């Protein structure tokens, strides 16, 4: 296994072992009103994050849990590797070798260590904008904001919670749904996440992409992402990134890239799996929440709720 990916898999293995030694009621903690998994996040790390100094050439991927962040991570690390004339799949993404790429995950010392990393540094975050270090916006680091239709996010989140020890597991989908719509899940309420990020979508350093548009046309998505980050691509390079990021090829490669975690992560990779699990009543509830909080916003429109979330 390449070094950077071994570090990723080792980190997840350790987190799972830590979570397995915790009681169910110890798995989550609350920080500024939002729940986080205690096996991988801590108040000390959040405090240290406040003084993280972003660079204008940092490459940041922002996406709520289960929006496809591992998918976009691969696309972005491949694009960075191309910009550095490295061979895809063998490179370190800059910091993946030393640090787990999720910004808020890890020990408080990681931000000091990140000072020594060469540009461009790549990082992912599930945080809402108001909980990110202010230097990210002040220094105009570029952010790719990834969003996915809320019904598939909830469906994916439910299966993930039951597959991964770091999150509380659920006996029923109904119990998970109730927690999902009442802000009792890790990284907080997805609808609040969307409405907070909606305040930032017009900033020049932010590009928004949906999971669904990338599923529809991966080549176009990759091209647009590369253009946003100012990375020139030949036709062959584009094709290579597109091929390597198909669900099938990422799933096949997942033992190498994500270790045992890969099996849980690369589940279906499809649009509309929610139709297999939502009841009528749950559909109505979520439609109502969406309508009340997000429907009229820019991000709400971008999600094409009527196309992807109506039965
Ligand atoms: P499903 O559970 O619906 O299958 P994250 O990486 O943010 O945790 O998101 C995980 C979701 O992204 C999972 O959704 C996973 O299957 C999906 N995913 C991962 N790689 C993908 C790919 N190459 N193409 C499409 N979906 C992908």
């Amino acid at each position: 296994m390449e070094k950077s990916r071994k570090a990723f898999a080792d980190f997840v293995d350790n987190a799972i072992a830590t979570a397995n030694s915790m009681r169910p009621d110890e798995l989550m903690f609350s920080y500024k009103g939002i729940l986080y998994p205690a096996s991988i996040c801590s108040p000390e790390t959040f405090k240290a994050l406040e003084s993280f100094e972003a660079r204008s050439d940092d490459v940041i991927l922002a996406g709520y849990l289960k929006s496809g962040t591992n998918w976009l991570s691969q696309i972005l690390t491949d694009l960075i590797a191309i910009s550095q004339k490295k061979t895809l799949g063998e490179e370190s993404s800059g910091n993946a070798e030393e640090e787990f790429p999720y910004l808020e995950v890890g020990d408080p010392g990681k931000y000091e260590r990140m000072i020594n990393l060469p540009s461009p540094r790549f990082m992912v975050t599930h945080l809402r904008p108001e909980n990110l270090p202010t230097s990210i916006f002040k220094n105009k680091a570029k952010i790719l904001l990834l969003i996915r239709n809320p019904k598939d996010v909830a469906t994916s989140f439910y299966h993930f919670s039951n597959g991964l020890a770091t999150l509380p597991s659920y006996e029923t989908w109904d119990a998970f749904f109730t927690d999902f719509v009442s802000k009792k899940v890790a990284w907080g309420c997805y609808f609040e996440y969307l409405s907070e990020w909606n305040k930032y979508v017009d900033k020049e350093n932010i590009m928004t992409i949906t999971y669904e548009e990338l599923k529809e046309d991966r080549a176009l998505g990759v091209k647009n992402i590369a253009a946003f980050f100012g990375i020139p691509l030949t036709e062959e390079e584009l094709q290579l990134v597109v091929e390597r990021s198909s669900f099938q090829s990422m799933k096949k490669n997942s033992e190498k890239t994500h270790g045992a975690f890969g099996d849980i992560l690369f589940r279906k990779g499809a649009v509309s799996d929610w139709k297999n699990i939502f009841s009528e009543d749950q559909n109505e509830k979520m439609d109502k929440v969406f309508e009340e909080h997000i429907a009229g916003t820019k991000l709400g429109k971008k999600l094409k709720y009527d196309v992807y979330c109506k039965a």
Side-chain angles (χ1 to χ4, degrees):
M1 191 184 294
E2 75 197 74
K3 201 171 156 201
S4 60
R5 286 314 188 167
K6 177 152 188 342
F8 186 104
D10 285 350
F11 182 92
V12 177
D13 285 348
N14 282 337
I16 292 170
T18 306
N20 278 332
S21 70
M22 293 170 131
R23 290 195 317 265
D25 64 316
E26 292 173 327
L27 281 176
M28 305 263 259
F29 71 98
S30 174
Y31 188 78
K32 294 190 178 169
I34 296 179
L35 294 172
Y36 298 97
S39 53
I40 54 171
C41 295
S42 72
E44 294 74 25
T45 300
F46 280 118
K47 196 82 208 115
L49 177 61
E50 286 171 21
S51 51
F52 169 76
E53 196 52 34
R55 298 178 191 155
S56 58
D57 57 5
D58 281 339
V59 173
I60 301 177
L61 169 65
Y64 187 78
L65 242 69
K66 314 321 293 168
S67 303
T69 53
N70 283 274
W71 184 17
L72 270 292
S73 288
Q74 169 160 314
I75 290 174
L76 286 167
T77 48
D78 276 2
L79 290 175
I80 293 171
I82 285 170
S83 75
Q84 298 175 326
K85 312 269 175 254
K86 289 180 178 161
T87 310
L88 302 195
E90 288 169 9
E91 75 294 340
S92 146
S93 69
N95 67 345
E97 192 169 351
E98 294 90 355
E99 299 299 339
F100 193 67
Y102 287 76
L103 189 61
E104 63 274 23
V105 170
D107 66 286
K110 77 183 275 186
Y111 310 112
E112 280 292 314
R113 296 191 297 273
M114 284 176 76
I115 294 173
N116 300 320
L117 296 175
S119 292
R121 300 179 301 184
F122 169 65
M123 58 204 83
V124 194
T125 180
H126 295 316
L127 293 177
R128 294 184 196 178
E130 75 271 28
N131 291 332
L132 282 172
T134 49
S135 67
I136 288 184
F137 300 102
K138 196 176 92 228
N139 298 341
K140 293 201 164 66
K142 284 194 178 161
I143 302 173
L144 178 64
L145 174 64
L146 168 67
I147 55 174
R148 185 180 189 186
N149 82 68
K151 290 186 181 173
D152 278 339
V153 166
T155 306
S156 178
F157 202 154
Y158 167 62
H159 293 292
F160 193 64
S161 298
N162 280 353
L164 192 67
T166 56
L167 295 171
S169 53
Y170 287 86
E171 283 192 10
T172 63
W173 153 250
D174 291 354
F176 175 81
F177 181 84
T178 303
D179 275 6
F180 187 81
V181 291
S182 52
K183 314 176 189 184
K184 289 198 196 124
V185 289
W187 276 276
C189 170
Y190 185 41
F191 298 100
E192 287 178 2
Y193 177 95
L194 289 170
S195 71
E196 286 305 318
W197 271 107
N198 189 64
K199 298 175 186 163
Y200 290 72
V201 281
D202 288 328
K203 290 192 185 294
E204 58 179 334
N205 56 318
I206 296 185
M207 170 183 164
T208 309
I209 194 162
T210 67
Y211 179 97
E212 292 76 17
E213 73 180 277
L214 203 60
K215 274 297 281 188
E216 209 128 284
D217 191 341
R218 221 159 55 250
L220 182 64
V222 171
K223 232 188 215 173
N224 289 341
I225 295 168
F228 173 67
F229 285 104
I231 299 172
L233 283 183
T234 64
E235 194 51 40
E236 293 87 82
E237 287 166 340
L238 172 66
Q239 281 318 316
L240 189 57
V241 177
V242 169
E243 273 158 35
R244 278 173 48 81
S245 60
S246 75
F247 181 74
Q248 291 74 11
S249 84
M250 284 189 72
K251 190 174 173 66
K252 198 164 139 227
N253 214 19
S254 69
E255 173 78 48
K256 270 198 254 155
T257 57
H258 291 75
F261 177 58
D263 266 352
I264 304 159
L265 188 68
F266 299 97
R267 193 183 62 90
K268 281 199 175 170
V271 175
S272 297
D273 189 37
W274 63 268
K275 291 183 179 169
N276 295 317
I277 200 164
F278 270 66
S279 67
E280 283 273 303
D281 184 48
Q282 288 162 343
N283 264 326
E284 273 172 29
K285 268 198 187 116
M286 193 171 275
D287 292 353
K288 197 158 169 269
V289 178
F290 188 83
E291 195 56 44
E292 278 170 11
H293 297 281
I294 317 293
T297 66
K298 255 196 174 174
L299 283 187
K301 293 193 176 101
K302 189 137 177 87
L303 278 170
K304 296 193 179 158
Y305 195 85
D306 284 351
V307 176
Y308 296 111
C309 286
K310 290 284 167 77

